[in-house]
Amino acid sequence: MTQTEDRLRVVAAVPLDEELCRLIERIEPRVEMISDPALVPPMRWPADWEGDPAFSRTPQQQADYEAMVDSADALFGIPDVSPAQLARTVVANPRLRWVMTTAAGGGGQVKAAGLDQDALDRIVFTTSAGVHAGPLAEFAVFGVLAGAKGLPRLRADQDARVWPQRWEMRQIDEMTVLVVGLGGIGAECARRFHALGATVWGTTRSGRPVDGVSRLIAPDEIALVAGEVDAIVVTLPGTEQTHHLIGEQVLTAIRPGAILASVGRGTVIDERALLAALDDGRIGFAAMDVFEKEPLAQDSPLWSHPSVLVSPHTAARSSKEAERIARRFAESAGRLLDGEPLRATVDTVEFY
């Protein structure tokens, strides 16, 4: 869009509290929010966009829900967080021109919808990327600190009521931390590690400088510098280009005892190669919030590995998440109506 417009009819295609609908309208008065709590599954916890799986619609309710989303100029969330429902809606609603996914990695959902090029040209897709940056950066810092301070050893000694000889812990301000991916999450990780005194390097394809990052690394050069860093923080989305980027080549070259924290998408790390690196000490500690397949399989060795901390993809969970996404949506709606470029648009070639 290149000119300002007067109104935007937005349908909440996922559960969204009435007060947040009204918040969006107050922030951007040109938006008309349409929602019907009876037609979407209730949330089980804050920002539970999929809602209660026990929820079901009658045939009439399903027809009413589809009519509602098909009347929208824009959608808050992908209908039922389902790529198939997104594909149906795009075909049924020629007036639809913007969809904001509630997931930071919503590009994968858009890709799974299998939309044709006309639809991808007609509709702008954005994500909530960046909204979760603070909580995920905190987990990354926690993970690196846990490794640096020997959390597994401390826990084992405490459980056994053993008072060992004093031993040396690593210091963050003496470490070099490589942040793999300097998007919204990565930039926030870099800022926080820099504030703690670490030397921060980061991978980038654009080459643009990022505050707190003293050295920029091309993604295909990670293995070349892996032996020079003390910790690797992975923040990348899951795409064909990032699949198993942290694999055998990188993990073979890594400095023995390095710490790994993963807060992007689980497919970026080759878990088989990671387990081998954990077993022989190349990786001294791994704090994992995401995995190749979720939930993590019951028979995965990662569950019981003494040098692994398993977090069930919950590091970004926050009682403020829904409000942050609503505020982002309102700001983006204003930009759309004013003909300005939107933040966190989905790349419809690589879908991130």
Side-chain angles (χ1 to χ4, degrees), residues 192-228:
R192 297 189 184 213
F193 280 109
H194 177 72
L196 290 170
T199 298
V200 183
W201 297 352
T203 69
T204 175
R205 291 192 299 177
S206 70
R208 288 192 296 270
V210 174
D211 288 346
V213 179
S214 61
R215 181 178 176 184
L216 297 176
I217 310 294
D220 60 1
E221 296 178 343
I222 296 174
L224 298 178
V225 302
E228 303 175 48

Side-chain angles (χ1 to χ4, degrees), residues 32-47:
E32 176 191 12
M33 289 296 301
I34 308 298
S35 66
D36 188 339
L39 299 180
V40 293
M43 286 187 176
R44 295 159 292 176
W45 49 73

Side-chain angles (χ1 to χ4, degrees), residues 159-173:
D159 289 345
R161 298 176 182 250
V162 170
W163 188 276
Q165 292 293 322
R166 296 172 65 187
W167 45 277
E168 182 180 357
M169 295 179 177
R170 286 187 273 180
Q171 312 300 312
I172 292 288
D173 64 2

Side-chain angles (χ1 to χ4, degrees), residues 149-265:
K149 305 306 177 185
L151 178 62
R153 182 175 180 177
L154 291 170
R155 185 72 258 178
D157 285 346
Q158 182 175 342
D159 289 345
R161 298 176 182 250
V162 170
W163 188 276
Q165 292 293 322
R166 296 172 65 187
W167 45 277
E168 182 180 357
M169 295 179 177
R170 286 187 273 180
Q171 312 300 312
I172 292 288
D173 64 2
E174 297 174 356
M175 297 174 68
T176 297
V177 178
L178 174 63
V179 179
V180 180
L182 289 173
I185 298 169
E188 186 62 21
C189 288
R191 187 183 73 81
R192 297 189 184 213
F193 280 109
H194 177 72
L196 290 170
T199 298
V200 183
W201 297 352
T203 69
T204 175
R205 291 192 299 177
S206 70
R208 288 192 296 270
V210 174
D211 288 346
V213 179
S214 61
R215 181 178 176 184
L216 297 176
I217 310 294
D220 60 1
E221 296 178 343
I222 296 174
L224 298 178
V225 302
E228 303 175 48
V229 303
D230 302 288
I232 294 179
V233 175
V234 181
T235 73
L236 289 171
T239 69
E240 292 180 5
Q241 288 69 32
T242 65
H243 183 77
H244 285 186
L245 181 66
I246 306 302
E248 185 175 0
Q249 184 181 21
V250 170
L251 295 173
T252 297
I254 206 162
R255 175 181 290 175
I259 300 165
L260 180 69
S262 181
V263 294
R265 281 295 178 266

